[in-house]
Amino acid sequence: MDDVCIVGGGVSGMAAGIFTARAGLSTTIISSGESILARNASLENYPGFPAGIDARTYLEMVRDQAERAGCRFSDDLIVDGAHRDESEGFVLTGNSGTYEATAVVAASWPDSEYLRELDVDREQRGSKYVVRADRAGRTGVDGLYVAGRVAGEPHQTIVAAGHGARVGLAVIQDSETAFYHDWVAPAGYFTGRDRDVPPACAEITDEQRRDRDRRARETLLAYLEAPNERRPTMHPSVDADGDQE
């Protein structure tokens, strides 16, 4: 049984997973198919990429980061969600298997049908249903959270990432995990003031900082060394030749 199951492997789901996994919560991200961001021809409004970045490369980078944080990925389509009979937590049923977790984060736009049996408060918007929740993604069902567009958040990558992070922090806060900030500080920042290093923080030496900087630059260069030859995924209503069906 996992501490956290995240349904949806897009930006919001992976952002939530990065935080929960780094906090020491066992985290599985369940995803069927690709993120809708793969339809983006060029991601150009995300802070930190002055000239933009290929959306597929960006998704690969975020998945790499989630895996490095400790997230496990499962390729499956969740079709049903229910409360566990034995104790608190949830059982998610997919086409390929079942998953149990203390907390569930739904980050699966546009699908929220598998949440109906959990009696969440859903609101129809056009042909889709969003789930009512507070700003941190907490629904009216204890242990069930929503992140990104299924929570009614705007359809922008930076917003999805930010909301996923906020939801991940809410999951951590509601668990029994000791947590202060997910922050790497220079050596002596806390201990130099006769303070213990807070939970989920770390102090590193200047040599360690330089080593992390080197590895970070090498990793980015490897991703950006050559063009990403994967083409954007076209909207399902458009055929392979680019014509409206």
Side-chain angles (χ1 to χ4, degrees), residues 71-99:
C71 292
R72 296 180 301 275
F73 281 80
S74 179
D75 183 12
D76 201 354
L77 175 66
I78 299 300
V79 296
D80 183 62
H83 294 282
R84 294 181 73 235
D85 292 333
E86 298 86 351
S87 60
E88 65 179 13
F90 304 89
V91 178
L92 300 173
T93 302
N95 287 336
S96 302
T98 59
Y99 310 83

Side-chain angles (χ1 to χ4, degrees), residues 49-177:
F49 299 102
I53 187 170
D54 180 271
R56 285 137 300 281
T57 298
Y58 170 79
L59 284 168
E60 292 170 6
M61 293 165 65
V62 179
R63 174 156 178 154
D64 183 4
Q65 188 172 0
E67 289 176 336
R68 289 171 186 250
C71 292
R72 296 180 301 275
F73 281 80
S74 179
D75 183 12
D76 201 354
L77 175 66
I78 299 300
V79 296
D80 183 62
H83 294 282
R84 294 181 73 235
D85 292 333
E86 298 86 351
S87 60
E88 65 179 13
F90 304 89
V91 178
L92 300 173
T93 302
N95 287 336
S96 302
T98 59
Y99 310 83
E100 296 187 354
T102 303
V104 167
V105 177
S108 48
W109 184 257
D111 181 25
S112 64
E113 289 298 305
Y114 63 94
L115 300 174
R116 292 182 66 179
E117 296 301 318
L118 293 172
D119 294 325
V120 294
D121 187 6
R122 301 196 306 159
E123 174 187 350
Q124 186 171 6
R125 294 190 185 176
S127 62
K128 309 295 192 298
Y129 285 86
V130 300
V131 178
R132 295 181 186 273
D134 68 11
R135 292 182 60 195
R138 297 181 179 93
T139 71
V141 178
D142 287 344
L144 178 62
Y145 306 77
V146 288
R149 291 196 72 197
V150 74
E153 293 294 314
H155 186 26
Q156 295 292 318
T157 302
I158 183 64
V159 177
H163 191 249
R166 178 188 286 271
V167 173
L169 290 171
V171 174
I172 297 166
Q173 181 179 350
D174 295 345
S175 73
E176 297 180 355
T177 303

